[in-house]
């Protein structure tokens, strides 16, 4: 699939105000600064579609982008930056949880993880929370350009190893870099497959 058109639609902090639509959507989630907004821009070939910053906490609202007039990418605020893990609900705005639990056309949560760090409690807890709430998710490892190929492979292996402690079946995962445009086609194929399945 190719993205022919990508447009900003809206930015909200309450579920009631989000676009009323049956079109499928994929939401980007993860710790602040992991690269959610940058990845949306890379996928859409538009540098400033989603606002990015080197300072964590840039995205603070639910941002909808419509792609090819057929499906949505959603940029969410980051969680858990520089705060003690343990109580996700306190760390992260209630409206984001509300969105994840109640949005009927949310097809899959794309959970972004920076491969330079060891598995973090906040991410593990968040995955468990997704599992308990039966919200489908895939893992997107980010900033692959910051690691050598050997270290990248090793860190992916370690991460999957850690996941096996909790998960019987490992989630689908992608390795990406917004700088080198790594993983773009793989992600677009995934969106194509699942959005068409949802429309049928
Ligand atoms: P919040 O909105 O604060 O939650 O952050 P975010 O997850 O949207 O991160 P954002 O896309 O704003 O990127 C954070 C920083 O990481 C910026 O300085 C980006 O330039 C940088 N960055 C994002 N993706 C990549 C990547 O693939 N490679 C490298 N080297 N830097 C990246
Ligand atoms: Mg952001």
């Amino acid at each position: 699939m190719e993205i022919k058109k990508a447009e900003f639609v809206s930015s909200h902090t309450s579920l009631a105000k989000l676009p009323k639509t049956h079109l499928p959507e994929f939401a980007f989630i993860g710790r602040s600064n992991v690269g959610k907004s940058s990845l949306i821009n890379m996928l859409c070939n538009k540098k400033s579609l989603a606002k990015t910053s080197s300072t964590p906490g840039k995205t603070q609202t639910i941002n909808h982008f419509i792609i090819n007039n057929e499906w949505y990418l959603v940029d969410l605020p980051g969680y858990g930056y520089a705060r003690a893990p343990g109580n996700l609900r306190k760390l992260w705005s209630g409206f984001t949880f509300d969105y994840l639990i109640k949005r009927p056309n949310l097809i899959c949560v794309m959970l972004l993880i920076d491969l330079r760090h060891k598995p973090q409690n906040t991410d593990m807890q968040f995955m468990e929370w997704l599992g308990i709430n039966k919200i489908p998710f895939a893992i997107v490892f980010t900033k692959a350009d910051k690691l050598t190929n050997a270290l990248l492979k090793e860190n992916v292996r370690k991460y999957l190893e850690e996941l096996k402690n909790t998960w019987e079946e490992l989630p689908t995962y992608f390795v990406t870099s917004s700088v080198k445009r790594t993983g773009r086609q793989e992600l677009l194929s995934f969106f194509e497959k699942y959005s068409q399945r949802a429309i049928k």
Side-chain angles (χ1 to χ4, degrees), residues 30-39 51-59 75-79 142-146 176-179:
R31 291 161 66 80
S32 270
N33 217 42
V34 70
K36 301 175 290 295
S37 305
S38 304
L39 187 60
K51 289 187 189 125
T52 64
S53 168
S54 54
T55 314
K58 179 70 182 170
T59 309
D75 192 14
L76 295 172
Y79 60 76
T142 61
K143 306 193 185 182
D145 58 285
K146 294 213 180 197
T176 70
S177 159
S178 295
V179 172

Side-chain angles (χ1 to χ4, degrees), residues 156-173:
V156 170
R157 191 192 63 74
K158 279 191 198 151
Y159 211 99
L160 298 178
E161 210 45 53
E162 175 82 24
L163 284 178
K164 278 185 199 155
N165 293 332
T166 329
W167 296 87
E168 243 168 60
E169 201 183 318
L170 288 177
T172 303
Y173 72 92

